[in-house]
Short mmCIF file of all heavy atoms in Angstrom, two decimals:
data_model
loop_
_atom_site.label_atom_id
_atom_site.label_comp_id
_atom_site.label_asym_id
_atom_site.label_seq_id
_atom_site.Cartn_x
_atom_site.Cartn_y
_atom_site.Cartn_z
N PRO A 1 -20.96 -37.36 -222.86
CA PRO A 1 -20.96 -36.55 -221.65
C PRO A 1 -22.35 -36.36 -221.06
O PRO A 1 -23.13 -35.55 -221.55
CB PRO A 1 -20.39 -35.21 -222.14
CG PRO A 1 -20.83 -35.14 -223.58
CD PRO A 1 -20.81 -36.55 -224.09
N TRP A 2 -22.66 -37.12 -220.01
CA TRP A 2 -23.90 -36.87 -219.29
C TRP A 2 -23.64 -36.53 -217.82
O TRP A 2 -24.50 -36.04 -217.13
CB TRP A 2 -24.86 -38.06 -219.38
CG TRP A 2 -24.41 -39.28 -218.64
CD1 TRP A 2 -24.41 -39.47 -217.28
CD2 TRP A 2 -23.89 -40.47 -219.21
NE1 TRP A 2 -23.92 -40.71 -216.98
CE2 TRP A 2 -23.60 -41.36 -218.15
CE3 TRP A 2 -23.67 -40.90 -220.53
CZ2 TRP A 2 -23.07 -42.62 -218.35
CZ3 TRP A 2 -23.15 -42.16 -220.72
CH2 TRP A 2 -22.86 -43.01 -219.66
N ASP A 3 -22.43 -36.80 -217.35
CA ASP A 3 -22.09 -36.54 -215.96
C ASP A 3 -21.04 -35.44 -215.90
O ASP A 3 -20.08 -35.43 -216.70
CB ASP A 3 -21.55 -37.82 -215.31
CG ASP A 3 -21.38 -37.66 -213.82
OD1 ASP A 3 -22.38 -37.74 -213.09
OD2 ASP A 3 -20.23 -37.44 -213.37
N LEU A 4 -21.19 -34.51 -214.96
CA LEU A 4 -20.23 -33.41 -214.84
C LEU A 4 -18.81 -33.89 -214.60
O LEU A 4 -17.85 -33.19 -214.89
CB LEU A 4 -20.65 -32.48 -213.70
CG LEU A 4 -22.00 -31.75 -213.85
CD1 LEU A 4 -22.28 -30.91 -212.60
CD2 LEU A 4 -22.01 -30.87 -215.09
N GLY A 5 -18.68 -35.12 -214.11
CA GLY A 5 -17.36 -35.66 -213.84
C GLY A 5 -16.46 -35.75 -215.06
O GLY A 5 -15.23 -35.76 -214.92
N CYS A 6 -17.04 -35.81 -216.25
CA CYS A 6 -16.20 -35.89 -217.45
C CYS A 6 -15.34 -34.65 -217.60
O CYS A 6 -14.24 -34.71 -218.18
CB CYS A 6 -17.04 -36.14 -218.70
SG CYS A 6 -18.10 -34.76 -219.21
N LEU A 7 -15.80 -33.51 -217.08
CA LEU A 7 -15.01 -32.27 -217.10
C LEU A 7 -14.35 -31.98 -215.76
O LEU A 7 -13.19 -31.56 -215.70
CB LEU A 7 -15.88 -31.10 -217.52
CG LEU A 7 -16.38 -31.12 -218.97
CD1 LEU A 7 -17.30 -29.95 -219.24
CD2 LEU A 7 -15.22 -31.12 -219.96
N LEU A 8 -15.06 -32.22 -214.66
CA LEU A 8 -14.48 -31.97 -213.35
C LEU A 8 -13.23 -32.81 -213.13
O LEU A 8 -12.27 -32.35 -212.48
CB LEU A 8 -15.52 -32.27 -212.26
CG LEU A 8 -16.73 -31.34 -212.19
CD1 LEU A 8 -17.74 -31.85 -211.18
CD2 LEU A 8 -16.31 -29.91 -211.86
N SER A 9 -13.21 -34.03 -213.67
CA SER A 9 -12.03 -34.89 -213.52
C SER A 9 -10.82 -34.34 -214.25
O SER A 9 -9.69 -34.78 -214.01
CB SER A 9 -12.35 -36.30 -214.02
OG SER A 9 -12.59 -36.30 -215.42
N LEU A 10 -11.03 -33.37 -215.14
CA LEU A 10 -9.94 -32.74 -215.89
C LEU A 10 -9.57 -31.38 -215.30
O LEU A 10 -8.74 -30.65 -215.87
CB LEU A 10 -10.36 -32.56 -217.36
CG LEU A 10 -10.82 -33.81 -218.09
CD1 LEU A 10 -11.29 -33.46 -219.49
CD2 LEU A 10 -9.72 -34.85 -218.13
N GLY A 11 -10.19 -31.03 -214.19
CA GLY A 11 -9.92 -29.74 -213.58
C GLY A 11 -10.67 -28.59 -214.22
O GLY A 11 -10.33 -27.42 -214.01
N ILE A 12 -11.70 -28.90 -215.02
CA ILE A 12 -12.51 -27.87 -215.68
C ILE A 12 -13.85 -27.77 -214.98
O ILE A 12 -14.57 -28.77 -214.85
CB ILE A 12 -12.72 -28.22 -217.17
CG1 ILE A 12 -11.38 -28.25 -217.90
CG2 ILE A 12 -13.66 -27.21 -217.83
CD1 ILE A 12 -11.47 -28.77 -219.33
N ASP A 13 -14.20 -26.58 -214.53
CA ASP A 13 -15.50 -26.35 -213.89
C ASP A 13 -16.49 -25.92 -214.97
O ASP A 13 -16.46 -24.78 -215.43
CB ASP A 13 -15.37 -25.26 -212.83
CG ASP A 13 -16.70 -24.96 -212.14
OD1 ASP A 13 -17.70 -25.64 -212.45
OD2 ASP A 13 -16.74 -24.04 -211.30
N PRO A 14 -17.39 -26.81 -215.38
CA PRO A 14 -18.31 -26.45 -216.47
C PRO A 14 -19.22 -25.29 -216.12
O PRO A 14 -19.60 -24.52 -217.01
CB PRO A 14 -19.10 -27.75 -216.70
CG PRO A 14 -18.95 -28.53 -215.45
CD PRO A 14 -17.62 -28.19 -214.89
N ALA A 15 -19.56 -25.14 -214.85
CA ALA A 15 -20.46 -24.05 -214.46
C ALA A 15 -19.82 -22.68 -214.65
O ALA A 15 -20.53 -21.66 -214.70
CB ALA A 15 -20.88 -24.23 -213.01
N ALA A 16 -18.49 -22.66 -214.78
CA ALA A 16 -17.78 -21.38 -214.94
C ALA A 16 -17.55 -21.02 -216.41
O ALA A 16 -17.00 -19.95 -216.70
CB ALA A 16 -16.44 -21.44 -214.21
N LYS A 17 -17.95 -21.88 -217.34
CA LYS A 17 -17.71 -21.63 -218.76
C LYS A 17 -18.91 -20.91 -219.39
O LYS A 17 -20.06 -21.10 -218.99
CB LYS A 17 -17.48 -22.94 -219.51
CG LYS A 17 -16.32 -23.78 -218.97
CD LYS A 17 -14.99 -23.07 -219.06
CE LYS A 17 -14.52 -22.89 -220.48
NZ LYS A 17 -13.13 -22.34 -220.53
N LYS A 18 -18.64 -20.09 -220.41
CA LYS A 18 -19.72 -19.44 -221.15
C LYS A 18 -20.40 -20.45 -222.08
O LYS A 18 -21.64 -20.48 -222.17
CB LYS A 18 -19.14 -18.28 -221.99
CG LYS A 18 -20.16 -17.61 -222.93
CD LYS A 18 -21.23 -16.85 -222.20
CE LYS A 18 -22.23 -16.20 -223.15
NZ LYS A 18 -21.66 -15.13 -223.98
N TYR A 19 -19.59 -21.26 -222.76
CA TYR A 19 -20.14 -22.23 -223.70
C TYR A 19 -19.59 -23.63 -223.41
O TYR A 19 -18.39 -23.78 -223.13
CB TYR A 19 -19.78 -21.86 -225.15
CG TYR A 19 -20.33 -20.53 -225.61
CD1 TYR A 19 -19.51 -19.40 -225.67
CD2 TYR A 19 -21.67 -20.40 -225.97
CE1 TYR A 19 -20.00 -18.18 -226.09
CE2 TYR A 19 -22.17 -19.17 -226.40
CZ TYR A 19 -21.34 -18.07 -226.46
OH TYR A 19 -21.84 -16.86 -226.87
N ILE A 20 -20.46 -24.63 -223.50
CA ILE A 20 -20.05 -26.02 -223.35
C ILE A 20 -20.58 -26.79 -224.55
O ILE A 20 -21.79 -26.95 -224.70
CB ILE A 20 -20.62 -26.64 -222.05
CG1 ILE A 20 -20.27 -25.79 -220.84
CG2 ILE A 20 -20.08 -28.06 -221.88
CD1 ILE A 20 -21.01 -26.22 -219.57
N MET A 21 -19.67 -27.21 -225.43
CA MET A 21 -20.09 -28.03 -226.56
C MET A 21 -20.06 -29.50 -226.14
O MET A 21 -19.05 -30.01 -225.67
CB MET A 21 -19.14 -27.84 -227.75
CG MET A 21 -19.65 -28.49 -229.04
SD MET A 21 -18.33 -28.88 -230.24
CE MET A 21 -17.93 -30.57 -229.75
N LEU A 22 -21.19 -30.18 -226.29
CA LEU A 22 -21.32 -31.57 -225.88
C LEU A 22 -21.78 -32.42 -227.05
O LEU A 22 -22.76 -32.08 -227.72
CB LEU A 22 -22.34 -31.70 -224.74
CG LEU A 22 -22.04 -30.94 -223.44
CD1 LEU A 22 -23.23 -31.04 -222.50
CD2 LEU A 22 -20.78 -31.48 -222.79
N LYS A 23 -21.10 -33.51 -227.28
CA LYS A 23 -21.55 -34.47 -228.29
C LYS A 23 -22.57 -35.40 -227.65
O LYS A 23 -22.24 -36.50 -227.20
CB LYS A 23 -20.35 -35.23 -228.88
CG LYS A 23 -19.54 -34.38 -229.86
CD LYS A 23 -18.42 -35.18 -230.49
CE LYS A 23 -17.69 -34.37 -231.56
NZ LYS A 23 -18.47 -34.21 -232.80
N SER A 24 -23.80 -34.90 -227.58
CA SER A 24 -24.86 -35.61 -226.88
C SER A 24 -26.20 -35.22 -227.49
O SER A 24 -26.33 -34.16 -228.10
CB SER A 24 -24.82 -35.27 -225.39
OG SER A 24 -25.85 -35.94 -224.68
N ARG A 25 -27.19 -36.09 -227.29
CA ARG A 25 -28.54 -35.80 -227.76
C ARG A 25 -29.45 -35.39 -226.60
O ARG A 25 -29.90 -34.26 -226.49
CB ARG A 25 -29.12 -37.03 -228.46
CG ARG A 25 -28.53 -37.27 -229.85
CD ARG A 25 -29.01 -38.60 -230.38
NE ARG A 25 -29.25 -38.53 -231.81
CZ ARG A 25 -29.69 -39.56 -232.54
NH1 ARG A 25 -29.91 -40.72 -231.98
NH2 ARG A 25 -29.88 -39.42 -233.83
N ILE A 26 -29.74 -36.32 -225.70
CA ILE A 26 -30.64 -36.07 -224.58
C ILE A 26 -29.99 -36.40 -223.24
O ILE A 26 -30.28 -35.76 -222.22
CB ILE A 26 -31.95 -36.89 -224.72
CG1 ILE A 26 -32.66 -36.56 -226.04
CG2 ILE A 26 -32.87 -36.65 -223.54
CD1 ILE A 26 -33.25 -35.18 -226.12
N HIS A 27 -29.08 -37.37 -223.21
CA HIS A 27 -28.49 -37.81 -221.94
C HIS A 27 -27.77 -36.68 -221.20
O HIS A 27 -27.63 -36.74 -219.97
CB HIS A 27 -27.53 -38.98 -222.16
CG HIS A 27 -28.22 -40.30 -222.31
ND1 HIS A 27 -29.34 -40.63 -221.60
CD2 HIS A 27 -27.91 -41.40 -223.07
CE1 HIS A 27 -29.72 -41.86 -221.92
NE2 HIS A 27 -28.88 -42.34 -222.81
N TYR A 28 -27.31 -35.68 -221.92
CA TYR A 28 -26.63 -34.55 -221.26
C TYR A 28 -27.49 -33.96 -220.15
O TYR A 28 -26.98 -33.37 -219.18
CB TYR A 28 -26.30 -33.46 -222.29
CG TYR A 28 -27.52 -32.65 -222.68
CD1 TYR A 28 -27.87 -31.50 -221.98
CD2 TYR A 28 -28.35 -33.07 -223.72
CE1 TYR A 28 -29.01 -30.78 -222.30
CE2 TYR A 28 -29.49 -32.36 -224.05
CZ TYR A 28 -29.82 -31.23 -223.34
OH TYR A 28 -30.97 -30.53 -223.66
N ARG A 29 -28.80 -34.11 -220.27
CA ARG A 29 -29.71 -33.48 -219.31
C ARG A 29 -29.50 -34.02 -217.89
O ARG A 29 -29.79 -33.33 -216.92
CB ARG A 29 -31.16 -33.72 -219.73
CG ARG A 29 -31.52 -33.04 -221.05
CD ARG A 29 -32.95 -33.33 -221.45
NE ARG A 29 -33.30 -32.71 -222.72
CZ ARG A 29 -34.47 -32.83 -223.32
NH1 ARG A 29 -35.43 -33.55 -222.74
NH2 ARG A 29 -34.70 -32.24 -224.48
N ALA A 30 -29.01 -35.26 -217.78
CA ALA A 30 -28.84 -35.85 -216.45
C ALA A 30 -27.92 -35.02 -215.58
O ALA A 30 -28.21 -34.80 -214.39
CB ALA A 30 -28.31 -37.28 -216.58
#
């Protein structure tokens, strides 16, 4: 997961969540 589309495409707004667990090292920053 480096692009917000991985969640937005599922109808989930990541900006509205308290916690987002991502299996990522650095690319998530993009």
Side-chain angles (χ1 to χ4, degrees):
W2 68 74
D3 189 79
L4 296 178
C6 69
L7 293 177
L8 293 173
S9 65
L10 305 176
I12 298 172
D13 179 3
K17 303 298 292 187
K18 174 68 180 293
Y19 298 102
I20 307 170
M21 190 204 91
L22 300 173
K23 284 184 175 286
S24 180
R25 285 173 143 180
I26 302 291
H27 280 324
Y28 76 90
R29 295 179 181 178

